Amino acid sequence: MNEKKEEKKASIKISPKLLELVRKFQEVELEDVDIEIGDLEIWLPPAVAVPPPPEVVAPPPPKVKPTTIVEEDFIPPIEEYPGSVLEVKLGATKGEGGSRRKTFMIGGATSPAFYMFERPPPHPPVVTLDVFDMKVSLPKAIRMHVQDVMEDTAAWAKLAVDKFGAEMVTVHLVSTDPLIKDTSPADASKTIEEVLQAVDVPLIVGGCGDPKKDVAVFKKVSEVAQGERVVLSSLTLDMAEAGLLDDVAKVAKNDGHIALAFTALDLNQAKELNRRLYEFLPKDRILMDLTTAALGYGLEYSFTIHERARIAALMGDQELQHPVLSGTTNSWAAREAWLKMGPEWEPRELRGPIWETVTALVLLLAGVDLFMMMHPAAVRTMKEVVKQLMSAGKARPEKIAEWVTVKI
Amino acid sequence: MTEREIKKGIKELSPIDVYMLLPRTNCKECGEANCMAFAAKVVNREISVEQCPPILEKEHEEAYGKLREMLAPAVKEIIIGTGNHAAKVGGKLVMYRHEFTYHNPTPIAIEVTDEMPEDELLDKARKAEGFSYNYIGREVNLDMVAIRSTSNDPTTFKSAVEKVAKATELPLILCSFSPNVMEAGLVAIKDRNPLIYAATKNNWRDMAELALMYNCPLTVFAPNNLKLLKSLAKTMIEYGVEDLVLDPGTFADEGLSDTINNFTMVRRNACRKGDKLLSFPIIGTPITAWIGEEAPKDMLAWKEAYVASMLMSRYADILIMHSLDGWVQLPTVIWRFNIYTDPRKPVAVESGLRIFGEPDENSPLLLTTNYALTYFTVESDIKSAKLNCYLLVVDTEGISVESAVAGRYLTAEKTADAIKESEIEQKVKHRHLIIPGMAARLSGEIEDLSGWRVLVGPRDSSGIPKFLSEKWPPKEE
């Protein structure tokens, strides 16, 4: 009963606009979100990096204090890099052999993320929303919005595009899991066909995580989606170990699709998997998923590995010059995103989506090109921030010049 | 160091470089086995060179000077406040976290104004000081109070500063562009070493005088104008003010791009170009999300929250924030905790048997992995529920439960071995092991190999207390 009171109090504080997005989410249960922290390998530098010369800033006591501002020039610190990130095209139009009306080019970075003073990124990052091929257990925050379509994947995809601003849609074929429904590859590809007809945006096709089954499903899906340049999520070293990778990579190549190469926070493995894929796929048909851990549950490892990968790519490491995807939805694996925690941390209706938002934005600054997301408020913020970051030169100093005295 | 090396930017420093400047007597006064071991620790920033007593003596003066120069961070370290609560700000050695480690976690200052009613003012200051969250076994807090003079009246400001200073020991930031107002505040807390916010192109002379007179660090503020920021820094230094903090301006919506870029350019100039005028801590003010926007409060707090985390990811060394709401500060303080961890440290805890409370021969045995985040989460759930139980921490090479099961780091063999090694069989009479819900698929194999009955526990450890109250002791079969 106490809790009811708080909910009430909270809802008074929340604006109608935001509340609209998060309303009624009193409980978040999440059982299908994975947090994958694989081998965490920490690189020890051979020796320690130190900054440039220690500047002793204090000059000897000035003989004469300046009476006017001592003018100094500022030169933007522009650097050159030998490498750049590849461009990868997602989705294909009719003229290109598919049936999408919208397609996206991602990647192409020639500087670290949003170094607008150096070289702006040629393409803004893209947001794809998750839908599932069966009724799954979702955080209530999401469930409220998709309740009516949870048993109709195509309708779900359409809702994501029409209502939540999805630029792309990811269809997770979780029902194909042998431990869940063991849906056949033929039935799974029928779902994909339906989604392809329901929406005109590029698709990502997600498997169930069982290497053997995923390969069987991807092969069939690849065939029915021939020419559509869908992203197969994901191809893994486990598939390689099972001797199945070559097979699925070949099919992806022949049918004109993109491979998402998934590894668990390990750049050496990412490179190894890419090398295996190069035998079958052109380089501009590979994306990397380096693993996204939730804020509070290893996000710093994801952040740092993305920064390292991007810098390595710019410095010329050709095996890492692929655009990267983040499974930002993993942020809901953090208990702080959904747990009831006591009045001082409420409302959860905001705490949950801000968790996803912060996870996304931190990785945006580390160089991620494509985001798998869930919560409408987080998606909206993400798209807004991308727009802001892409438009340099909009700061108006007068707006904040007197912030110290402004009444809030 | 030569100009050429400055251009080169980051250089590799080896223990030998440090060793060559040490007395090399292996006197062990520092507590290390020899000078080389000491040098290695110095290079790793595990120990400061001042912990070598002989180097501080007159005869080693020159070598000590060289060492200090060699080891100085790219961003100057500034102290704000005094005593136990004094905060070190800046002191960054590297631009990117993976290059070494970020030092001095970004203090978060909570803002109050001199026109707040006294009870609100004191309440907010105390709440800022009292903010606490237990994150994987560590307490995370807020760090400072920033007092703004919205009244622009010296007497009002002085009175508010006095009250806040009495109410909290946290370091303070005094915010006013009026030198008269600022001085009134400084007089009130002469001995607290507050940060002065700020010198601008209009008031810099008076602010510089105040910084010298009261011997306080000084912020220079030049919104979206790095040329002016640098010129002001230069002017302040020539004036004799040594401890500066830089504010290139925080624009929370339009101009966010420029904000992120200005912060990045300042830090890159400090770390890569050896630009001494920009080698100072940067202050970010997510509070500006609240300025000039007609929007509902929670929308502004939402913006403030994500801007704070973005700025911390892009080099902010201090933040001033308006909202004290838990949902705003929680992601902020946790992200800060995260990026300031040492990327070289393993994320594993020691494996083996842990004992909680006062378990007896009928108490439950739980199992988890040795991934630090997993372990601390489980530990904190057990402790806060005051459970009496045993927890078997299996060595999964620092991998979380679900990944460890998938990657075969957590197996029935390892579990059976861990049970045996822990000697738990001599501690409890029962043979029931509770495994995490995420490891459910190992149940059968564990039972076969260990001879223990397996109970599948909750998927999230927050469910442990409820699980035990319902399922423990297990029913006879």
Side-chain angles (χ1 to χ4, degrees):
Chain A
M1 20 119 264
N2 236 346
E3 127 105 334
K4 197 152 188 195
K5 236 193 233 160
E6 274 144 29
E7 298 279 349
K8 206 173 163 198
K9 221 172 75 195
S11 62
I12 293 165
K13 271 172 54 197
I14 303 166
S15 78
K17 206 169 165 197
L18 191 53
L19 187 63
E20 214 260 313
L21 288 171
V22 299
R23 115 192 95 120
K24 293 189 221 152
F25 316 141
Q26 298 178 355
E27 200 183 328
V28 169
E29 310 153 31
L30 197 72
E31 301 196 339
D32 290 296
V33 171
D34 291 357
I35 172 169
E36 294 249 349
I37 306 283
D39 300 23
L40 290 176
E41 201 165 310
I42 312 293
W43 276 260
L44 283 159
V48 169
V50 291
E55 297 296 338
V56 179
V57 173
K63 290 172 198 91
V64 187
K65 289 173 176 175
T67 54
T68 54
I69 291 177
V70 186
E71 296 280 335
E72 275 283 324
D73 257 345
F74 175 78
I75 300 157
I78 311 261
E79 284 177 18
E80 298 296 327
Y81 310 92
S84 62
V85 175
L86 293 160
E87 289 182 316
V88 172
K89 177 114 184 270
L90 309 176
T93 62
K94 221 167 193 170
E96 295 160 341
S99 65
R100 308 295 86 199
R101 288 184 60 178
K102 287 181 195 141
T103 62
F104 292 97
M105 188 73 97
I106 58 168
T110 51
S111 276
F114 297 103
Y115 277 37
M116 305 299 283
F117 63 91
E118 195 167 75
R119 277 170 295 272
H123 312 291
V126 169
V127 178
T128 170
L129 262 68
D130 293 332
V131 308
F132 298 83
D133 72 339
M134 61 179 279
K135 199 165 180 175
V136 288
S137 158
L138 285 177
K140 198 164 182 182
I142 313 300
R143 198 163 70 228
M144 293 311 299
H145 292 281
V146 297
Q147 200 125 265
D148 302 337
V149 292
M150 285 184 77
E151 290 180 65
D152 181 345
T153 316
W156 194 342
K158 200 162 157 39
L159 188 72
V161 174
D162 295 346
K163 198 167 164 199
F164 308 139
E167 296 173 299
M168 292 178 52
V169 170
T170 303
V171 185
H172 295 281
L173 298 168
V174 288
S175 80
T176 59
D177 191 326
L179 300 173
I180 300 177
K181 281 192 185 170
D182 205 12
T183 304
S184 71
D187 286 348
S189 33
K190 217 170 139 244
T191 305
I192 297 300
E193 276 185 299
E194 284 164 15
V195 175
L196 280 167
Q197 270 169 25
V199 299
D200 59 7
V201 300
L203 293 195
I204 297 179
V205 176
C208 66
D210 177 312
K212 216 169 148 189
K213 185 63 184 277
D214 281 353
V215 165
V217 170
F218 288 162
K219 281 162 77 172
K220 190 75 192 157
V221 166
S222 175
E223 192 187 314
V224 303
Q226 197 176 21
E228 295 283 7
R229 257 182 130 83
V230 302
V231 178
L232 300 176
S233 166
S234 47
L235 273 49
T236 62
L237 284 170
D238 279 351
M239 289 178 179
E241 207 172 297
L244 300 164
L245 186 71
D246 304 4
D247 228 16
V248 69
K250 266 184 228 163
V251 171
K253 178 187 187 278
N254 293 335
D255 292 329
H257 301 303
I258 313 287
L260 176 65
F262 173 84
T263 47
L265 293 173
D266 183 332
L267 289 188
N268 287 326
Q269 284 189 11
K271 284 159 68 83
E272 186 193 331
L273 179 53
N274 287 343
R275 280 196 298 272
R276 285 169 177 258
L277 292 172
Y278 295 157
E279 291 175 34
F280 305 98
L281 280 165
K283 286 194 168 181
D284 67 352
R285 298 249 228 101
I286 300 169
L287 303 178
M288 299 189 292
D289 180 346
L290 302 173
T291 297
T292 295
L295 168 60
Y297 294 79
L299 178 58
E300 67 276 29
Y301 293 98
S302 295
F303 175 75
T304 286
I305 206 155
H306 280 100
E307 280 203 329
R308 288 184 51 224
R310 184 48 49 93
I311 287 166
L314 295 173
M315 295 312 287
D317 187 334
Q318 298 193 352
E319 290 165 357
L320 292 172
Q321 290 174 341
H322 300 274
V324 284
L325 171 144
S326 154
T328 314
T329 307
N330 288 349
S331 54
W332 291 87
R335 59 166 54 176
E336 284 84 354
W338 52 267
L339 194 70
K340 199 187 292 177
M341 291 171 56
E344 68 269 42
W345 311 106
E346 295 307 305
R348 271 184 294 166
E349 293 83 346
L350 293 174
R351 195 178 355 107
I354 196 73
W355 221 260
E356 181 177 349
T357 303
V358 167
T359 303
L361 293 177
V362 156
L363 293 175
L364 182 70
L365 292 176
V368 169
D369 302 279
L370 180 56
F371 291 84
M372 283 181 178
M373 297 182 70
M374 254 173 130
H375 196 284
V379 171
R380 201 182 56 183
T381 303
M382 179 68 182
K383 290 175 71 176
E384 207 175 286
V385 168
V386 165
K387 213 160 111 194
Q388 283 163 355
L389 289 182
M390 290 298 285
S391 32
K394 293 276 177 66
R396 288 180 293 122
E398 67 277 10
K399 192 177 165 196
I400 60 160
E402 297 300 327
W403 75 267
V404 160
T405 50
V406 173
K407 291 191 174 69
I408 294 172
Chain B
M1 232 169 258
T2 65
E3 189 64 24
R4 198 181 52 77
E5 280 172 303
I6 294 174
K7 292 262 162 57
K8 196 169 130 202
I10 286 215
K11 113 173 175 113
E12 305 282 309
L13 182 66
S14 86
I16 297 283
D17 299 331
V18 171
Y19 177 75
M20 294 310 285
L21 291 165
L22 292 174
R24 282 174 282 162
T25 53
N26 296 334
C27 68
K28 300 187 185 159
E29 277 186 65
C30 61
E32 298 302 319
N34 50 52
C35 290
M36 195 61 197
F38 179 77
K41 285 205 169 173
V42 168
V43 165
N44 263 340
R45 312 273 165 180
E46 290 166 27
I47 199 169
S48 80
V49 72
E50 283 75 18
Q51 281 166 275
C52 165
I55 197 82
L56 300 174
E57 285 162 18
K58 187 87 187 147
E59 57 171 315
H60 294 296
E61 202 178 330
E62 201 191 326
Y64 176 54
K66 282 186 186 160
L67 277 168
R68 277 184 54 109
E69 202 173 292
M70 183 186 282
L71 295 162
V75 175
K76 190 173 182 188
E77 185 173 274
I78 307 285
I79 309 283
I80 302 172
T82 50
N84 288 340
H85 283 83
K88 288 183 192 165
V89 176
K92 301 294 192 287
L93 295 158
V94 291
M95 175 136 183
Y96 296 108
R97 178 174 177 266
H98 61 262
E99 292 172 331
F100 195 67
T101 305
Y102 286 159
H103 287 77
N104 300 335
T106 309
I108 294 163
I110 295 298
E111 162 263 10
V112 296
T113 75
D114 64 354
E115 288 183 297
M116 287 167 84
E118 180 166 348
D119 52 338
E120 274 179 43
L121 175 76
L122 298 182
D123 186 54
K124 196 172 180 191
R126 288 190 185 121
K127 269 198 186 136
E129 181 161 7
F131 179 98
S132 166
Y133 181 68
N134 188 298
Y135 171 63
I136 54 167
R138 297 276 294 277
E139 197 183 316
V140 287
N141 302 102
L142 297 172
D143 317 272
M144 297 188 181
V145 176
I147 312 162
R148 293 195 297 142
S149 178
T150 50
S151 72
N152 226 1
D153 172 58
T155 320
T156 309
F157 190 55
K158 183 168 185 233
S159 154
V161 171
E162 276 167 353
K163 283 173 198 154
V164 173
K166 239 179 241 162
T168 174
E169 286 180 27
L170 295 181
L172 303 174
I173 304 177
L174 302 186
C175 308
S176 173
F177 296 133
S178 154
N180 287 338
V181 171
M182 185 57 69
E183 177 149 31
L186 288 167
V187 166
I189 49 165
K190 279 199 196 84
D191 52 350
R192 290 281 290 262
N193 190 32
L195 172 65
I196 301 176
Y197 187 101
T200 66
K201 66 177 192 299
N202 301 319
N203 68 11
W204 59 270
R205 259 178 109 164
D206 293 330
M207 287 296 182
E209 286 294 344
L210 289 174
L212 290 177
M213 196 183 311
Y214 292 92
N215 195 22
C216 294
L218 173 65
T219 312
V220 290
F221 177 44
N224 198 35
N225 187 341
L226 295 184
K227 180 178 183 324
L228 177 62
L229 189 73
K230 207 174 152 180
S231 301
L232 280 172
K234 170 94 169 169
T235 311
M236 293 300 103
I237 289 163
E238 291 203 358
Y239 217 96
V241 183
E242 295 173 19
D243 287 351
L244 298 178
V245 171
L246 307 175
D247 186 358
T250 297
F251 301 84
D253 32 66
E254 242 188 21
L256 183 61
S257 184
D258 303 308
T259 306
I260 297 288
N261 275 271
N262 288 335
F263 278 48
T264 305
M265 285 192 276
V266 167
R267 189 47 43 93
R268 187 187 258 187
N269 268 16
C271 291
R272 297 285 201 259
K273 310 284 174 190
D275 184 342
K276 63 179 182 176
L277 297 175
L278 295 177
S279 297
F280 293 101
I282 306 174
I283 187 166
T285 54
I287 183 176
T288 56
W290 294 80
I291 309 280
E293 289 289 313
E294 285 302 319
K297 263 179 134 179
D298 45 304
M299 294 291 273
L300 300 174
W302 174 273
K303 192 186 294 176
E304 182 177 35
Y306 70 71
V307 167
S309 285
M310 290 179 78
L311 293 186
M312 271 197 290
S313 313
R314 284 288 174 93
Y315 316 120
D317 301 289
I318 323 179
L319 292 178
I320 299 181
M321 296 182 73
H322 173 70
S323 177
L324 241 182
D325 285 350
W327 68 270
V328 170
Q329 291 300 340
L330 196 59
T332 313
V333 293
I334 289 187
W335 179 232
R336 172 181 65 183
F337 185 98
N338 291 159
I339 49 167
Y340 279 87
T341 52
D342 185 345
R344 302 166 300 165
K345 283 231 172 89
V347 283
V349 298
E350 210 176 310
S351 56
L353 191 70
R354 302 286 209 289
I355 296 170
F356 292 95
E358 291 167 0
D360 59 26
E361 56 189 22
N362 295 314
S363 299
L365 172 65
L366 304 150
L367 175 143
T368 192
T369 74
N370 75 331
Y371 175 46
L373 288 164
T374 305
Y375 172 77
F376 286 122
T377 306
V378 175
E379 180 198 68
S380 108
D381 286 325
I382 292 175
K383 279 186 177 166
S384 60
K386 300 192 169 58
L387 302 174
N388 297 311
C389 67
Y390 297 98
L391 178 65
L392 186 59
V393 182
V394 180
D395 181 0
T396 56
E397 300 178 33
I399 289 172
S400 67
V401 175
E402 196 170 26
S403 305
V405 172
R408 294 176 290 279
Y409 292 95
L410 179 61
T411 60
E413 290 83 5
K414 269 199 186 174
T415 305
D417 289 348
I419 290 173
K420 206 168 286 164
E421 280 165 30
S422 70
E423 297 177 352
I424 183 71
E425 301 196 328
Q426 284 130 56
K427 292 190 169 71
V428 295
K429 279 201 309 199
H430 66 81
R431 292 292 179 264
H432 285 92
L433 171 67
I434 300 167
I435 67 171
M438 304 246 194
R441 72 170 81 157
L442 299 178
S443 308
E445 262 187 275
I446 293 176
E447 292 195 338
D448 292 347
L449 277 172
S450 67
W452 281 55
R453 299 286 298 160
V454 168
L455 302 178
V456 177
R459 292 174 67 86
D460 187 281
S461 61
S462 58
I464 291 174
K466 184 163 173 273
F467 177 87
L468 289 181
S469 75
E470 287 169 2
K471 303 272 171 66
W472 194 267
K475 307 246 168 5
E476 291 303 323
E477 286 141 52

